[in-house]
Amino acid sequence: MDTLPMMIKSTQQSISKWDRRFLDLAKHIAEWSKDPSTKCGAVITKGNKIISIGFNGLASGIEDYAERLANRDVKYKMVIHAEENAIIFAKQDLKDCTIYLWPFPPYSTCAAKIIQTGITRVVAPIASSDLVERWGDSLKISANMYDEVGVEFVEVE
């Protein structure tokens, strides 16, 4: 995977007051997650209208037992990512929408789902060095997929 070029096109100049507001909202929504280690939030918008929100967690009706959430092997097999929840709950066409993510850019599996929905813009904080160390290959794949299909990927400091 080291041969994959990092093709992230950071567009700091395109950050508007609405981008900041929606990213702040994604950060707030992330706090609703019961995950003890990583709280993630997502907001999908069309223009300045909120279409959907989501946070990482277990499916509706599945108990959030502390033992489940503390066991990474079990948790990773059961959790629905914030991006996925926002997409599922939207229940409408997401073509030409923007998704705001907190606290980091999506891994490749969620990036593929974002692309498949027709979302054309992704806004997320710049990945921390720790995240890049652990998930760098997946983040590179995500960036390459966005570039290939023309999804604007905006990283925010």
Side-chain angles (χ1 to χ4, degrees), residues 15 19 23 98-101 121-125 152-154 156:
I15 301 301
D19 288 328
L23 198 56
T98 297
I99 189 166
Y100 297 86
L101 305 168
R121 188 164 180 260
V122 177
V123 180
E152 181 184 5
F153 178 46
V154 181
V156 179

Side-chain angles (χ1 to χ4, degrees), residues 41-54:
V43 176
I44 299 174
T45 66
K46 189 157 201 163
N48 294 340
K49 179 183 173 191
I50 296 171
I51 302 297
S52 187
I53 62 171

Side-chain angles (χ1 to χ4, degrees), residues 89-110:
F89 288 121
K91 300 209 186 297
Q92 64 180 281
D93 184 9
L94 299 178
K95 186 175 190 292
D96 299 325
C97 285
T98 297
I99 189 166
Y100 297 86
L101 305 168
W102 188 268
F104 39 70
Y107 305 129
S108 58
T109 55
C110 282

